[in-house]
Amino acid sequence: MTAVSDRPSTMEKSHEDARVNLPYLEDRLLGRWKDLRNIARGFARDPRIQRDPSLPMEQHRERVLEQLKILVTEAQVLRAFPERLGGKDDAGGGIAGFEELVAADPSLQIKAGVQWGLFCAAIHHLGTAEQHDRLLGAAMRLEVPGAFAMTEIGHGSDVASIATTATFNPETQEFDLHTPFRAAWKDYLGNAAKHGVAAVVFAQLITGGVNYGVHAFYVPVREINKDGSAGAMLPGVSSEDDGLKGGLNGIDNGRLAFDHVKVPLENLLARYGQVAEDGSYTSPIDSPGRRFFTMLGALVQGRVSLDGAAGSASKIALKTAITYGNQRRQFTGASETDETVLMDYQTHQRRLLPLLAEVYAGHFAHDSLLDLFHAVFSEEGMDTPESREDLETLAAALKPVSTWRALHTLQTAREACGGAGFMAENRLVQLRQDMDIYVTFEGDNTVLLQLVGKRLLSDYAKQFKGIDGINMARFVIERAGDTVLYKTPLNRAVQSILDTGSKRRSASELQEETTQRELLSGRVEAMVEKLAADLRPAFKMNQADGAALFNDHQVELIEAAKAHADLVQWEAFTKALTTIEDTETRTVLTWVRDLFAFTTLEKNLAWYLINGRLSAQRAETVTSYINRLLARLRPHAQDLIDAFGYDDDLVRATIISGVEQERQDEARGYFRTQRASGDAPRSEKSLKKTKR
């Protein structure tokens, strides 16, 4: 029996009949670049573009290369590039289209990203206008397939420490590009094993005996055959094939090494660093650190694209699992005759609906990221050091959570579909394999979250820049009082008294937007403040001791960055709700936002309890209210996943093509007819009841 305090309030009852306006929501979710997304999805429905799962690796690679050629001639893949070279100067639109290609084949999406999002983008963002005119056009048209040679097997995400060198010789007006040892080989490079005829190579620029740090060079690596295909390796360039991988086998990943290869001065991509004929070095950015991060920041679009593509993969997975769960029946607990639909089980809802809420939060956060990316690279006056730093931080926060989420969602969806989820024809296993590498490339997720954590600490420190001693003392006293309050039982006791006998009041307060914001933002602030206090002694330590102290708090730094990512997604979702004009749709989406907030709180209940931010009773309310939200959202689950617009031709999972519903209808019809005819055999249990 339901307790009185747990019954829906009058306001909740008035919303019980709320319905999602599906056409409206689908249109809203397509967002700013709706037309371009629809065009890209149209191509993803084209059998010529889709993956053929029967192909072995070599044929898969060649098929993906041919698919890129189709995109060049038929799709709008050049939108991000300058109009004078055939583009549209539309950075955001370019990314929006690319990330939709994951529905066709993740290998296609990533190989396209290698060619246009990395190789071409490096020439575009790091090169000069003269270099654009000379090098970019052929690369854009795929006449020059290229590799992006940054990662070295010995340093991975530590780009600043790469060992490849480019030493300038004023007498020959050339750089000597050299790989000094095996760990300096460039590795995991798309297009390096077979198809690439040039590469943008990152190396330590040395001139006049001074190392000016990592710079990019345009380097031919293979001959071009008469038919336009890649030919023999050029002198001094070595290549190896990475071979069969755990996923993305439509991409010819490989290794490159350079044995004193001569690179002409004109092939230094010179937007941020120039070398004169006499060997002197100049740069518009004096700080070596800022110069390095500016050059890498210009290539942030890879992370932006991965964030969007990971979200698309999660949507496809949930479309499969929720649709199947609404058709598949199992066990007759609620009826003597009919089996129960899987989505009616609370455990199934617990598996899938919180992930659906996370995917919605990630979707709206990605919209914000894409807007910022477009502003920085396509809107006049927006490309500032501050906006680039914001973009880099936001991408570094969202790419880890979305790619990890994609793996978790695909695995959960696979399990939720039982044995059918393991069948290749339903794509979940293959998508899971292909998405695995997303958590590592374009920046290892853990390393990216360290970047976010350091930015949080940096912003925290800026609060005190120029503050005098009196105001600093006042700040410390205020914070100390706040900390004492949260760390003693006093706050928990007061909260428990307020909550006693009124679970509904507890849940009602936690539903409030201001309460959710305070809980989520308060966690970030408290974690950053504690980290800052713990790390403050490092400024007076020697380098080794300071590094050891930082290492001792590295896990806390990552947790603070994750908490920040949770807050960013919640804020994006909450902001998006204000733009939903259809009242009933907004009501349902508000429940989805609340589910995201409550499940985020539930995952971190230990922190909230230990730090006195929630009482035990209110913590208990979190879980019980999640269950109420699951029941409330269950009737809307199909509409909410359908609203993302991934139809059967994009999902391509046999189990949601109608065959499962046909099986279920046939089975129910068979037993219904059998019962009506009187031919149904009696059960053994009913026979025993009769004997009694």
Side-chain angles (χ1 to χ4, degrees):
M1 183 175 179
T2 304
V4 173
S5 60
D6 287 335
R7 290 176 182 167
S9 66
T10 303
M11 181 177 295
E12 290 169 351
K13 283 185 177 180
S14 68
H15 291 160
E16 283 181 354
D17 295 329
R19 293 291 179 269
V20 173
N21 184 331
L22 187 54
Y24 168 82
L25 183 57
E26 182 174 350
D27 184 75
R28 170 64 181 78
L29 292 175
L30 282 168
R32 178 176 178 178
W33 288 279
K34 175 177 66 175
D35 293 341
L36 295 176
R37 290 191 184 280
N38 280 329
I39 290 172
R41 290 183 184 187
F43 276 100
R45 293 185 184 95
D46 188 335
R48 297 177 302 161
I49 298 298
Q50 294 172 354
R51 177 177 183 174
D52 180 350
S54 68
L55 295 179
M57 183 180 72
E58 290 302 323
Q59 286 89 330
H60 190 191
R61 287 176 170 184
E62 296 309 314
R63 178 177 173 84
V64 172
L65 179 62
E66 293 306 310
Q67 289 170 337
L68 288 193
K69 295 176 182 178
I70 294 173
L71 294 180
V72 171
T73 57
E74 300 183 29
Q76 300 189 42
V77 294
L78 305 180
R79 294 191 65 87
F81 298 101
E83 286 189 17
R84 63 188 181 84
L85 295 176
K88 298 288 185 182
D89 286 310
D90 181 7
I95 294 290
F98 273 124
E99 62 195 27
E100 296 290 350
L101 294 176
V102 75
D105 182 355
S107 286
L108 173 62
Q109 188 249 330
I110 295 301
K111 193 173 178 77
V114 168
Q115 181 65 27
W116 293 295
L118 292 176
F119 177 61
C120 290
I123 301 170
H124 180 200
H125 293 301
L126 303 180
T128 63
E130 181 276 328
Q131 290 171 328
H132 295 166
D133 293 337
R134 177 164 51 89
L135 304 173
L136 190 51
M140 288 167 57
R141 295 187 297 270
L142 201 62
E143 294 167 8
V144 178
F148 183 78
M150 175 183 284
T151 300
E152 293 181 1
I153 195 166
H155 282 97
S157 296
D158 185 8
V159 178
S161 299
I162 60 175
T164 301
T165 56
T167 305
F168 185 66
N169 183 347
E171 294 182 3
T172 62
Q173 296 293 292
E174 293 174 324
F175 289 94
D176 181 281
L177 183 66
H178 186 59
T179 305
F181 43 77
R182 183 69 189 188
W185 277 59
K186 303 293 184 179
D187 206 350
Y188 314 122
L189 315 178
N191 282 339
K194 290 191 65 175
H195 298 147
V197 298
V200 170
V201 181
F202 288 79
Q204 305 285 353
L205 189 158
I206 300 170
T207 182
V210 177
N211 184 344
Y212 288 95
V214 176
H215 288 65
F217 301 81
Y218 181 92
V219 183
V221 296
R222 285 185 176 89
E223 297 176 352
I224 302 178
N225 296 325
K226 291 183 179 180
D227 63 358
S229 63
M233 302 302 300
L234 292 174
V237 183
S238 299
S239 173
E240 293 180 356
D241 195 326
D242 280 331
L244 189 67
K245 307 182 294 293
L248 296 180
N249 281 301
I251 307 171
D252 57 322
N253 293 96
R255 310 177 187 95
L256 292 176
F258 307 92
D259 184 10
H260 297 290
V261 173
K262 307 306 178 187
V263 180
L265 173 60
E266 63 185 12
N267 280 11
L268 163 67
L269 298 180
R271 179 177 179 181
Y272 296 111
Q274 304 84 38
V275 173
E277 292 182 358
D278 63 359
S280 59
Y281 178 87
T282 57
S283 172
I285 304 175
D286 290 334
S287 166
R290 180 174 285 274
R291 185 190 315 134
F292 172 74
F293 283 109
T294 299
M295 286 193 286
L296 264 62
L299 307 172
V300 71
Q301 66 191 65
R303 293 169 189 168
V304 178
S305 180
L306 291 180
D307 179 50
S312 296
S314 294
K315 294 166 190 174
I316 290 171
L318 288 175
K319 170 76 173 188
T320 302
I322 290 174
T323 304
Y324 183 69
N326 274 325
Q327 296 175 1
R328 180 75 156 86
R329 293 175 177 271
Q330 192 80 58
F331 304 115
T332 56
S335 167
E336 290 292 333
T337 55
D338 277 347
E339 294 178 295
T340 301
V341 172
L342 292 183
M343 281 303 298
D344 284 345
Y345 289 109
Q346 187 187 67
T347 52
H348 217 69
Q349 296 165 15
R350 259 284 186 169
R351 273 177 155 179
L352 299 176
L353 296 187
L355 286 173
L356 181 60
E358 289 185 28
V359 167
Y360 263 89
H363 174 93
F364 291 123
H366 179 68
D367 278 353
S368 299
L369 175 62
L370 199 52
D371 281 341
L372 179 57
F373 174 78
H374 183 78
V376 169
F377 289 107
S378 290
E379 294 180 10
E380 189 174 350
M382 286 298 296
D383 187 1
T384 65
E386 294 76 19
S387 62
R388 285 205 177 207
E389 188 176 15
D390 288 343
L391 174 61
E392 182 76 23
T393 304
L394 186 57
L398 294 180
K399 182 261 183 180
V401 295
S402 63
T403 52
W404 274 326
R405 177 184 298 140
L407 294 187
H408 177 52
T409 302
L410 283 158
Q411 182 63 27
T412 302
R414 206 293 293 158
E415 294 178 24
C417 293
F422 196 63
M423 304 303 292
E425 65 182 7
N426 295 315
R427 295 186 69 201
L428 293 171
V429 174
Q430 186 59 62
L431 277 173
R432 172 65 174 75
Q433 289 177 297
D434 287 339
M435 297 300 295
D436 201 330
I437 191 60
Y438 281 50
V439 305
T440 306
F441 66 13
E442 294 302 311
D444 176 88
N445 282 356
T446 300
V447 174
L448 291 180
L449 288 175
Q450 287 187 56
L451 184 155
V452 176
K454 290 176 181 177
R455 172 69 189 276
L456 293 174
L457 288 171
S458 174
D459 286 353
Y460 178 79
K462 287 177 183 177
Q463 298 178 72
F464 309 112
K465 190 174 182 179
I467 192 171
D468 59 36
I470 295 175
N471 285 324
M472 174 60 81
R474 182 178 299 133
F475 177 88
V476 171
I477 291 170
E478 289 173 352
R479 279 308 188 198
D482 183 61
T483 301
V484 169
L485 177 63
Y486 280 122
K487 286 190 175 180
T488 62
L490 175 62
N491 187 60
R492 294 194 293 274
V494 171
Q495 197 177 74
S496 295
I497 292 170
L498 290 174
D499 292 343
T500 298
S502 181
K503 289 185 178 180
R504 193 200 313 174
R505 184 184 300 134
S506 294
S508 178
E509 290 179 7
L510 289 174
Q511 289 175 67
E512 294 294 330
E513 182 179 305
T514 53
T515 304
Q516 293 177 17
R517 179 178 284 110
E518 287 171 3
L519 287 169
L520 294 173
S521 62
R523 181 167 185 253
V524 179
E525 292 167 3
M527 295 175 85
V528 172
E529 286 174 9
K530 184 179 184 303
L531 267 170
D534 290 343
L535 293 174
R536 191 169 291 123
F539 292 105
K540 298 181 180 180
M541 294 178 174
N542 59 46
Q543 184 175 352
D545 290 341
L549 179 63
F550 185 84
N551 188 56
D552 287 342
H553 292 83
Q554 206 165 33
V555 173
E556 297 167 56
L557 186 75
I558 298 300
E559 290 304 309
K562 289 179 179 178
H564 173 71
D566 290 336
L567 176 62
V568 166
Q569 293 173 94
W570 183 90
E571 289 284 10
F573 202 154
T574 301
K575 182 179 179 181
L577 288 174
T578 66
T579 69
I580 304 298
E581 298 174 351
D582 184 87
T583 304
E584 293 190 12
T585 301
R586 185 171 62 250
T587 295
V588 176
L589 287 181
T590 300
W591 298 338
V592 178
R593 191 279 312 272
D594 289 349
L595 181 59
F596 174 75
F598 274 76
T599 51
T600 301
L601 294 176
E602 186 182 50
K603 290 175 185 176
N604 300 289
L605 274 184
W607 186 92
Y608 284 102
L609 287 166
I610 290 169
N611 289 275
R613 302 297 175 108
L614 285 175
S615 68
Q617 181 166 330
R618 189 165 287 188
E620 183 182 1
T621 302
V622 170
T623 297
S624 63
Y625 193 67
I626 286 175
N627 293 336
R628 292 175 63 187
L629 282 171
L630 295 176
R632 188 179 293 172
L633 287 170
R634 191 278 173 257
H636 308 288
Q638 193 67 54
D639 284 344
L640 287 168
I641 194 60
D642 287 348
F644 286 116
Y646 289 92
D647 56 26
D648 289 354
D649 290 335
L650 292 172
V651 178
R652 301 195 306 285
T654 303
I655 51 173
I656 67 167
S657 64
V659 296
E660 180 60 34
Q661 191 63 57
E662 290 175 8
R663 284 195 291 260
Q664 295 295 329
D665 290 344
E666 180 186 21
R668 296 174 76 199
Y670 172 82
F671 288 116
R672 190 182 302 116
T673 301
Q674 192 181 57
R675 289 193 301 271
S677 68
D679 294 334
R682 296 174 63 187
S683 70
E684 181 182 2
K685 288 183 179 180
S686 66
L687 187 62
K688 291 181 178 180
K689 288 180 181 178
T690 302
K691 289 181 179 180
R692 290 176 189 169

